[in-house]
Amino acid sequence: IRDRDVTGVQTCALPIWYEGKNYHVDGAIGTVETGSEQLPFLDRWTWAITGSRVSKHGYASGRTEGIIVDDSHTERATVNGVSFIMENQLLIRPLAETEGPGSPPFCEKGDSGAIVQDEAGRAVGLLWGRNHRGEGLASPIGPILEALGLVVT
């Protein structure tokens, strides 16, 4: 991501070409401060796989669990009246959904930015939204780390 891509950005979907695939990630702007503290997921991440059980701890809904039902999902997202096609996303069905209708969704408004982790505690994605069925939508963490220039050794 170049500075001109971020400063005054008019869209929320930034395309990233990574390992032969086009990914789109949430274009929210944030900072990463360096120092003595490490980002907890930098040395513990992996690719998400369909069928994997995952969890997240979001600001709005707290800890929830789910199953990745698609690891290359395409979703149309609309933000402030502008639509974006988000390719190669993670689609996460709430685990509680198997308990019947009316079960809570995987995430709520305000959970965006939560790290999605596998059962081993490794980061697999960055949550950015949900669809009308209550399924979570996340960008795979690998392309995000690459775009930020963060190298895991």
Side-chain angles (χ1 to χ4, degrees), residues 46-68:
T46 189
W47 285 102
I49 300 170
T50 297
S52 297
R53 188 173 176 156
V54 294
S55 66
K56 66 96 184 101
H57 187 94
Y59 179 79
S61 63
R63 186 177 190 284
T64 58
E65 296 181 341
I67 300 287
I68 295 178

Side-chain angles (χ1 to χ4, degrees), residues 101-153:
S103 296
F106 182 73
C107 56
E108 296 285 353
K109 185 176 181 179
D111 285 339
S112 183
I115 297 294
V116 178
Q117 298 178 307
D118 69 5
E119 290 183 291
R122 298 172 297 192
V124 296
L126 185 66
L127 186 72
W128 59 265
R130 75 174 199 194
N131 61 23
H132 67 281
R133 294 180 302 274
E135 296 166 323
L137 299 161
S139 297
I141 200 73
I144 294 169
L145 295 175
E146 173 78 13
L148 293 173
L150 301 173
V151 178
V152 179
T153 57

Side-chain angles (χ1 to χ4, degrees), residues 9-76:
V9 70
Q10 297 296 312
T11 65
C12 74
L14 300 175
I16 297 172
W17 186 256
Y18 182 74
E19 294 190 356
K21 282 181 146 181
N22 192 28
Y23 293 86
H24 286 80
V25 298
D26 187 337
I29 300 171
T31 60
V32 175
E33 294 186 19
T34 57
S36 61
E37 293 183 35
Q38 286 187 326
L39 296 174
F41 60 87
L42 284 183
D43 62 347
R44 293 182 46 85
W45 77 273
T46 189
W47 285 102
I49 300 170
T50 297
S52 297
R53 188 173 176 156
V54 294
S55 66
K56 66 96 184 101
H57 187 94
Y59 179 79
S61 63
R63 186 177 190 284
T64 58
E65 296 181 341
I67 300 287
I68 295 178
V69 294
D70 191 348
D71 59 16
S72 60
H73 181 70
T74 298
E75 184 84 24
R76 179 178 298 277

